[in-house]
Amino acid sequence: MTKVLVLHSARLVRSALASLLRSEGSFEVTSAGWRTAARQAESLRPDVTVVDLDCPGTTAVLAGSAGPDRQVLGSPSSVLVLASTGAPGSLHRAFRAEARGYVDKAGSPGRLVRAVRKVAAGERFIDASLATAFMEADPVPLSPRELSVLARAAEGDSTVEIARALHLASGTVRNYMAAATRKTGARNLIDAIRISRRAGWV
């Protein structure tokens, strides 16, 4: 049985995705929200972890999976993302996080099933419809850790809350915020968040 972890902030959506995959019979599927993502990944050791790039919270998860300790998604899980053709920045972010599968959300359910099987087998899967979006993606100037901090700030977390969640000192979090503001050419943190959201990085 292929173990699949579906992560999404909306319970209805993740339940629907889990039901779709369970209907195939060869998948052992678990679904969870972002706050329990790390715990579920550690206990389940999924073969494939499915995340939606348009879902709030994805940036923090992907940034964590690309970090030196890979504390969010863990190993040996392989990441498969659900993406939209109109969000090249998000695709680039997923690529930096070393996602192995890319499924167009406008495609058929069968494409997702096929992608899960491919990724579980250690292969890459990229929907042809996403190729143009990949080519249009601008390089992301922020490091995975800077993206993670900025994403949590965008969700309204305080410096102390971000430090606690990412196991960093508050001063280090402020340094990452300052670096993100500088690299995006923003006037302040709020402007940096706005610019990053518009580019699809957060």
Side-chain angles (χ1 to χ4, degrees), residues 53 81 83-85 87-96 102 130-134 137 200:
L53 285 184
V81 297
S84 301
T85 56
S90 296
L91 281 169
H92 197 282
R93 173 168 26 105
F95 185 77
R96 285 188 65 184
Y102 303 81
L130 297 174
T132 301
F134 261 112

Short mmCIF file of all heavy atoms in Angstrom, two decimals, residues 53 81 83-85 87-96 102 130-134 137 200:
data_model
loop_
_atom_site.label_atom_id
_atom_site.label_comp_id
_atom_site.label_asym_id
_atom_site.label_seq_id
_atom_site.Cartn_x
_atom_site.Cartn_y
_atom_site.Cartn_z
N LEU A 53 -0.73 24.45 -3.70
CA LEU A 53 0.08 25.67 -3.71
C LEU A 53 -0.74 26.93 -3.44
O LEU A 53 -0.20 27.94 -2.98
CB LEU A 53 0.80 25.82 -5.05
CG LEU A 53 2.01 24.92 -5.29
CD1 LEU A 53 2.65 25.27 -6.63
CD2 LEU A 53 3.03 25.05 -4.17
N VAL A 81 2.67 18.64 -5.57
CA VAL A 81 1.90 19.87 -5.40
C VAL A 81 0.78 19.97 -6.43
O VAL A 81 0.91 19.52 -7.57
CB VAL A 81 2.80 21.13 -5.51
CG1 VAL A 81 3.83 21.14 -4.39
CG2 VAL A 81 3.47 21.22 -6.87
N ALA A 83 -1.21 22.66 -8.52
CA ALA A 83 -0.85 24.02 -8.94
C ALA A 83 -1.80 24.58 -9.99
O ALA A 83 -2.56 23.83 -10.62
CB ALA A 83 0.57 24.03 -9.49
N SER A 84 -1.76 25.89 -10.16
CA SER A 84 -2.53 26.59 -11.17
C SER A 84 -1.57 27.18 -12.20
O SER A 84 -0.48 27.63 -11.84
CB SER A 84 -3.36 27.72 -10.56
OG SER A 84 -4.24 27.22 -9.58
N THR A 85 -1.97 27.22 -13.44
CA THR A 85 -1.09 27.75 -14.49
C THR A 85 -0.82 29.24 -14.33
O THR A 85 0.18 29.75 -14.83
CB THR A 85 -1.71 27.51 -15.88
OG1 THR A 85 -3.03 28.10 -15.92
CG2 THR A 85 -1.83 26.03 -16.18
N ALA A 87 0.05 30.85 -11.67
CA ALA A 87 0.87 31.17 -10.50
C ALA A 87 2.30 30.65 -10.67
O ALA A 87 2.72 29.75 -9.96
CB ALA A 87 0.24 30.60 -9.24
N PRO A 88 3.06 31.21 -11.62
CA PRO A 88 4.42 30.73 -11.85
C PRO A 88 5.34 30.89 -10.64
O PRO A 88 6.24 30.09 -10.41
CB PRO A 88 4.91 31.56 -13.05
CG PRO A 88 4.04 32.78 -13.05
CD PRO A 88 2.71 32.30 -12.55
N GLY A 89 5.11 31.95 -9.85
CA GLY A 89 5.95 32.15 -8.67
C GLY A 89 5.80 31.01 -7.67
O GLY A 89 6.78 30.56 -7.06
N SER A 90 4.58 30.54 -7.52
CA SER A 90 4.33 29.42 -6.60
C SER A 90 5.02 28.15 -7.09
O SER A 90 5.56 27.37 -6.31
CB SER A 90 2.83 29.18 -6.47
OG SER A 90 2.19 30.29 -5.89
N LEU A 91 4.99 27.94 -8.41
CA LEU A 91 5.66 26.77 -8.97
C LEU A 91 7.17 26.82 -8.72
O LEU A 91 7.78 25.81 -8.38
CB LEU A 91 5.40 26.71 -10.48
CG LEU A 91 4.04 26.17 -10.92
CD1 LEU A 91 3.84 26.41 -12.40
CD2 LEU A 91 3.92 24.70 -10.60
N HIS A 92 7.75 28.00 -8.88
CA HIS A 92 9.18 28.15 -8.64
C HIS A 92 9.51 27.86 -7.18
O HIS A 92 10.52 27.24 -6.87
CB HIS A 92 9.63 29.56 -9.03
CG HIS A 92 11.11 29.68 -9.22
ND1 HIS A 92 11.99 29.77 -8.16
CD2 HIS A 92 11.88 29.70 -10.34
CE1 HIS A 92 13.22 29.86 -8.62
NE2 HIS A 92 13.18 29.82 -9.93
N ARG A 93 8.63 28.32 -6.29
CA ARG A 93 8.83 28.07 -4.87
C ARG A 93 8.80 26.56 -4.58
O ARG A 93 9.62 26.05 -3.82
CB ARG A 93 7.73 28.79 -4.09
CG ARG A 93 7.71 28.49 -2.61
CD ARG A 93 6.81 29.43 -1.83
NE ARG A 93 5.74 30.01 -2.60
CZ ARG A 93 4.46 29.61 -2.49
NH1 ARG A 93 4.14 28.61 -1.71
NH2 ARG A 93 3.52 30.23 -3.18
N ALA A 94 7.87 25.85 -5.19
CA ALA A 94 7.78 24.41 -4.99
C ALA A 94 9.01 23.70 -5.55
O ALA A 94 9.51 22.73 -4.97
CB ALA A 94 6.51 23.88 -5.65
N PHE A 95 9.51 24.20 -6.69
CA PHE A 95 10.70 23.60 -7.30
C PHE A 95 11.90 23.76 -6.37
O PHE A 95 12.70 22.84 -6.22
CB PHE A 95 10.97 24.26 -8.65
CG PHE A 95 12.10 23.63 -9.41
CD1 PHE A 95 11.94 22.42 -10.06
CD2 PHE A 95 13.36 24.24 -9.44
CE1 PHE A 95 12.99 21.83 -10.75
CE2 PHE A 95 14.41 23.66 -10.13
CZ PHE A 95 14.23 22.44 -10.79
N ARG A 96 12.02 24.92 -5.74
CA ARG A 96 13.13 25.16 -4.81
C ARG A 96 13.03 24.23 -3.60
O ARG A 96 14.04 23.87 -3.00
CB ARG A 96 13.14 26.61 -4.34
CG ARG A 96 13.66 27.58 -5.38
CD ARG A 96 13.83 28.96 -4.79
NE ARG A 96 14.86 29.00 -3.77
CZ ARG A 96 15.16 30.07 -3.05
NH1 ARG A 96 14.51 31.20 -3.25
NH2 ARG A 96 16.11 30.04 -2.13
N TYR A 102 4.00 17.70 -9.96
CA TYR A 102 3.29 18.96 -10.20
C TYR A 102 2.03 18.65 -11.01
O TYR A 102 2.12 18.27 -12.18
CB TYR A 102 4.16 19.95 -10.96
CG TYR A 102 5.47 20.25 -10.26
CD1 TYR A 102 6.56 19.38 -10.37
CD2 TYR A 102 5.62 21.39 -9.47
CE1 TYR A 102 7.75 19.63 -9.71
CE2 TYR A 102 6.81 21.66 -8.82
CZ TYR A 102 7.87 20.78 -8.94
OH TYR A 102 9.05 21.03 -8.27
N LEU A 130 1.55 22.79 -17.25
CA LEU A 130 2.28 23.67 -16.33
C LEU A 130 3.65 24.07 -16.87
O LEU A 130 4.34 24.88 -16.25
CB LEU A 130 2.46 22.98 -14.97
CG LEU A 130 1.17 22.67 -14.21
CD1 LEU A 130 1.49 21.87 -12.94
CD2 LEU A 130 0.42 23.93 -13.84
N ALA A 131 4.04 23.51 -18.01
CA ALA A 131 5.38 23.77 -18.54
C ALA A 131 5.61 25.25 -18.81
O ALA A 131 6.67 25.80 -18.47
CB ALA A 131 5.60 22.96 -19.82
N THR A 132 4.64 25.91 -19.44
CA THR A 132 4.78 27.34 -19.74
C THR A 132 4.92 28.16 -18.48
O THR A 132 5.73 29.09 -18.40
CB THR A 132 3.58 27.85 -20.56
OG1 THR A 132 3.48 27.09 -21.77
CG2 THR A 132 3.74 29.32 -20.89
N ALA A 133 4.13 27.82 -17.47
CA ALA A 133 4.19 28.54 -16.20
C ALA A 133 5.56 28.39 -15.55
O ALA A 133 6.10 29.34 -14.96
CB ALA A 133 3.11 28.03 -15.25
N PHE A 134 6.17 27.20 -15.69
CA PHE A 134 7.52 26.99 -15.17
C PHE A 134 8.50 27.92 -15.86
O PHE A 134 9.36 28.53 -15.23
CB PHE A 134 7.96 25.54 -15.41
CG PHE A 134 7.81 24.66 -14.21
CD1 PHE A 134 6.88 23.64 -14.18
CD2 PHE A 134 8.61 24.85 -13.09
CE1 PHE A 134 6.74 22.83 -13.08
CE2 PHE A 134 8.48 24.05 -11.97
CZ PHE A 134 7.55 23.02 -11.97
N ALA A 137 8.35 31.56 -14.66
CA ALA A 137 8.60 31.82 -13.24
C ALA A 137 9.90 32.59 -13.05
O ALA A 137 10.96 32.20 -13.53
CB ALA A 137 8.68 30.49 -12.48
N GLY A 200 3.60 35.64 -6.01
CA GLY A 200 3.26 34.23 -5.80
C GLY A 200 4.23 33.48 -4.93
O GLY A 200 4.20 32.24 -4.87
#
